[in-house]
Amino acid sequence: MDFAPSPRTLELRDELQAFVDERLAPAEPVYRQQVADSGDPHFHPPVMEDLKAEARRRGLWNLFHPDPEYGAGLTNLEYAPLCEMMGRHPLLGEATNCSAPDTGNMEILSRFGTPLQKEQFLRPLLDGEVRSCFAMTEPWVASSDATNLQSRIERDGDHYVVNGHKWWTSGAASARCKFAIFLGVSDPDAETYRRQSMILVPMDTPGVTVVRSLPVFGHDAGGGHCETLWENVRVPAEYLLGEEGGGFAIAQARLGPGRIHHCMRAIGMAEKALELMCARAQMRVAFGKHLADNAVVQQQVAESRIEIEQARLLTMKAAWLMDTVGNKGARFEISAIKVVAARLATTVIDRAIQVFGGAGVSDDWPLASMYPHARTLHFVDGPDEVHLQQIARRELRAYEPFRV
Ligand SMILES: Cc1cc2nc3c(=O)[nH]c(=O)nc-3n(C[C@H](O)[C@H](O)[C@H](O)COP(=O)(O)OP(=O)(O)OC[C@H]3O[C@@H](n4cnc5c(N)ncnc54)[C@H](O)[C@@H]3O)c2cc1C
């Protein structure tokens, strides 16, 4: 295994850093002010369009896409350090057209989309003209088990009729969110993993309602995380993504890269939190000495550094496996890193908040807004317990002959 950054990664990392220093960091307060002035937490501030135009001009665009026909054509290993930077700088993902859920949607559209779907849905997304959402999770069933889903996608002549109640449909509250990729049951009598299909639904189709945005720990921003209703929504049959009954397989294909991107960003968040923790510990004096001179604080700093390095190496290994043996061959490492990265981010951010005292939970520092994001990583795209179960099952399989 060779995890040394490629010349291309080093070049792009420097260019991203220059973009952050020269354009993105100065634009952060402008972004916040423009959203505040609008009075709408889901407002799309004009400064973001300026940032996108500049990032694109600099060639910092669609860096996530592994296929050069659609994006930068980087391997997962090459993309990892760049995605980590997006965890440190929350606006960087959108500015470079690399933010979820669009990234996952672009990947599956480029892999499974028909020429018509690519022209109508993928192209505007690749160009950053629109946003999209992914509607899978439902309020009334345990949705970490996709076989529980109840929403329906039923054929009716040359259309499909979509009915369902979803929630946590991220991004749906944005006026720029123009379509959803919807997962639902198309044949309840089929074999368990052939029951579901995926379909593209324009958000302005009659019957689509964004009921409300669900705040996360009281925060509601970006495109929101929404409860959505889909009532007798008629969409042309050619909007079905892949084949009928292929929804589960496409969802699996979407999750591999999506999960590892979460991990890369989580490591970036942990690095940022450690950086802030160290600076604060050197600045503050309590009971006659700097916080940094207390053994208990030093231990928290050291543990954080060790855990970040461990998590980064495991992420690199998972990325390397995805690049060499494919997403399926890397599934256990992806599960492992998903658990590790969520733990890392919540633990290190929590330690940093503690070292900051009251300032840590205020909005004057980024820690308070990073924490909810890190906390949700423990169940978004598969709860920790499900990943642990899969790893344990594989581990135990070899010892079945010992069973009495
Ligand atoms: C901020 C945010 C954004 C999101 N964005 C999207 C989105 O864009 N689109 C979308 O479709 N969904 C989205 N989700 C939903 C998310 O993916 C789900 O919350 C997640 O998949 C878990 O499903 P659930 O909430 O139904 O939990 P459930 O399936 O009800 O699980 C609840 C808990 O049960 C436990 N559990 C489950 N299985 C096992 C097991 N095998 N063993 C032991 N314990 C178990 C776990 O502790 C788990 O957390 C988002 C969620 C959040 C919070």
Side-chain angles (χ1 to χ4, degrees), residues 100-101 133-139 141-145 148 166-171 181 214 216 224-225 254 372-373 376-387 389 393:
C133 59
F134 185 71
M136 171 179 162
T137 305
E138 299 177 5
V141 292
S143 302
S144 52
D145 176 357
N148 280 339
K166 301 280 187 183
W167 73 345
W168 297 111
T169 315
S170 296
I181 296 185
L214 297 145
V216 177
H225 305 283
R254 189 182 188 280
H373 185 65
T376 60
L377 283 182
H378 286 271
F379 47 84
V380 171
D381 283 0
D384 290 355
E385 293 86 347
V386 176
H387 292 296
Q389 190 178 51
R393 278 191 186 145

Side-chain angles (χ1 to χ4, degrees), residues 259 263 334-342 377-382 387:
R259 282 179 177 147
C263 299
I334 295 172
S335 278
I337 191 55
K338 174 72 178 28
V339 174
V340 168
L377 283 182
H378 286 271
F379 47 84
V380 171
D381 283 0
H387 292 296

Side-chain angles (χ1 to χ4, degrees), residues 16 73 95 112 162 178 187 216 243 259 282 288 361 383-384 393 398:
L16 265 184
F112 302 99
V162 174
K178 296 300 181 196
D187 181 359
V216 177
E243 54 174 7
R259 282 179 177 147
Q282 294 288 18
V361 293
D384 290 355
R393 278 191 186 145

Side-chain angles (χ1 to χ4, degrees), residues 309-324:
E309 297 300 323
Q310 287 175 327
R312 185 181 285 123
L313 279 174
L314 190 52
T315 304
M316 294 297 217
K317 183 183 175 195
W320 175 80
L321 276 172
M322 288 167 81
D323 294 336
T324 50

Side-chain angles (χ1 to χ4, degrees), residues 272-287:
K272 177 84 187 167
L274 177 58
E275 184 181 298
L276 290 169
M277 179 173 20
C278 290
R280 186 77 172 184
Q282 294 288 18
M283 280 177 204
R284 277 313 244 202
V285 175
F287 301 100

